[in-house]
Amino acid sequence: MTGGTPAQRQARAVRLGPRSVAALVLVSAVGVAGFGWPFLAPPDASLNAHAQDAPWLFAGVLVLMVAVVAATISESGLGPKAVAMLGVLAAAGAALRPIGAGTAGLEPMFFLMVLSGRVLGPGFGFVLGSVTMFASALLTGGVGPWMPFQMLAMGWFTMGAGLLPGPDRLRGRAELAMLAAYGFLAAFAYGTVMNLAGWTFMNTLASNIAFDPDASIPTNLARFLSYCLATSLGWDGGRAAMTVVLTLALGTPVLKALRRATRRAAFETPVTFEKADEVSRPT
């Protein structure tokens, strides 16, 4: 009996089958609608009359959609060993988040999500990012209407690392440089996307950069960009810098450890039985 060669044992923990892809596309579409509804709806739409209620409604839908994605992925081959690794990495990420939270956006959990998504693939990465953010919210007491948006954004963040090119061939400094560049850009993208979740809660009368349901899309886009520059640019910069530094400094040993754990777990390696050599019997 054998578990396959080392190359075979590097299989991703979650295969992206047709149902998994369909579920990810569906939840991402709902997420885009949940984040981007201020720009998707015209100024005279009835949705804008309930601008303060819409994020809460989308939050409930996102929770349900994330549950659907997790269930679909579990049906595609997420075995007990993969669940164990998911739990360990999610716990590690959740424990890393409070270390720098509240200090200029220094959040070390993002570098772990980049490296984990790279090694374990986009399907596993999406689930890991969502579960990690959920666990960290429970750990830090950050449970609120923003949590489903954070789960979805972190799922995209980690899944993106799993979609980067050359997962089986690119190694060494080139791989670290690519992951650092991705982490830098994705950290800003994460912050920008998350701004959409809180921007619509601002009172229009309190600021000229708040969302205005009666304004046109270009006007609200200009307001949103001003909002990002005024409120989160420094925080996102700190997150991006921390991700780059930790990826370049610790990326090599962490990647080796993750790949070694994946080989030993051999999540999807089929068990095969070798046919024993026939022993000639004396006549």
Side-chain angles (χ1 to χ4, degrees):
M1 183 176 67
T2 180
T5 65
Q8 293 172 331
R9 290 197 298 268
Q10 291 179 355
R12 291 174 180 172
V14 176
R15 295 168 294 180
L16 283 178
R19 288 185 300 173
S20 299
V21 171
L24 287 171
V25 170
L26 181 58
V27 73
S28 295
V30 173
V32 169
F35 280 111
W37 68 267
F39 304 125
L40 299 175
D44 57 349
S46 59
L47 178 62
N48 285 329
H50 302 280
Q52 300 299 319
D53 299 333
W56 291 85
L57 297 176
F58 278 116
V61 173
L62 285 176
V63 172
L64 297 176
M65 294 309 302
V66 170
V68 170
V69 172
T72 302
I73 290 179
S74 68
E75 293 175 354
S76 67
L78 189 62
K81 293 180 180 179
V83 172
M85 178 168 279
L86 175 66
V88 170
L89 291 176
L96 285 175
R97 189 184 183 195
I99 293 178
T103 308
L106 302 179
E107 297 174 295
M109 68 174 290
F110 282 82
F111 106 96
L112 180 61
M113 296 298 101
V114 170
L115 302 183
S116 299
R118 171 64 173 176
V119 173
L120 299 166
F124 191 100
F126 183 87
V127 178
L128 174 62
S130 299
V131 172
T132 300
M133 188 57 69
F134 177 77
S136 67
L138 296 180
L139 182 65
T140 60
V143 178
W146 55 84
M147 188 179 70
F149 293 98
Q150 289 179 324
M151 292 173 62
L152 186 59
M154 184 57 73
W156 286 338
F157 180 94
T158 312
M159 181 176 69
L163 294 173
L164 293 174
D168 300 322
R169 300 181 303 275
L170 189 62
R171 294 291 186 272
R173 295 181 179 178
E175 183 181 33
L176 288 182
M178 180 184 68
L179 293 176
Y182 170 80
F184 181 85
L185 296 175
F188 280 100
Y190 174 88
T192 302
V193 168
M194 283 306 305
N195 284 338
L196 282 170
W199 177 52
T200 53
F201 284 97
M202 292 186 64
N203 190 336
T204 307
L205 300 177
S207 173
N208 59 0
I209 62 174
F211 170 68
D212 184 358
D214 297 322
S216 63
I217 291 178
T219 300
N220 271 325
L221 181 59
R223 284 171 170 258
F224 177 67
L225 293 177
S226 299
Y227 173 81
C228 292
L229 292 174
T231 61
S232 69
L233 183 62
W235 188 279
D236 296 339
R239 180 190 301 116
M242 171 69 81
T243 302
V244 170
V245 170
L246 291 180
T247 298
L248 295 178
L250 303 176
T252 298
V254 174
L255 286 172
K256 288 182 178 178
L258 288 172
R259 285 174 173 138
R260 182 166 56 250
T262 302
R263 287 195 301 268
R264 291 181 177 179
F267 299 147
E268 292 181 348
T269 304
V271 177
T272 59
F273 294 87
E274 296 178 350
K275 185 177 181 180
D277 295 335
E278 293 185 358
V279 180
S280 59
R281 297 180 179 179
T283 58

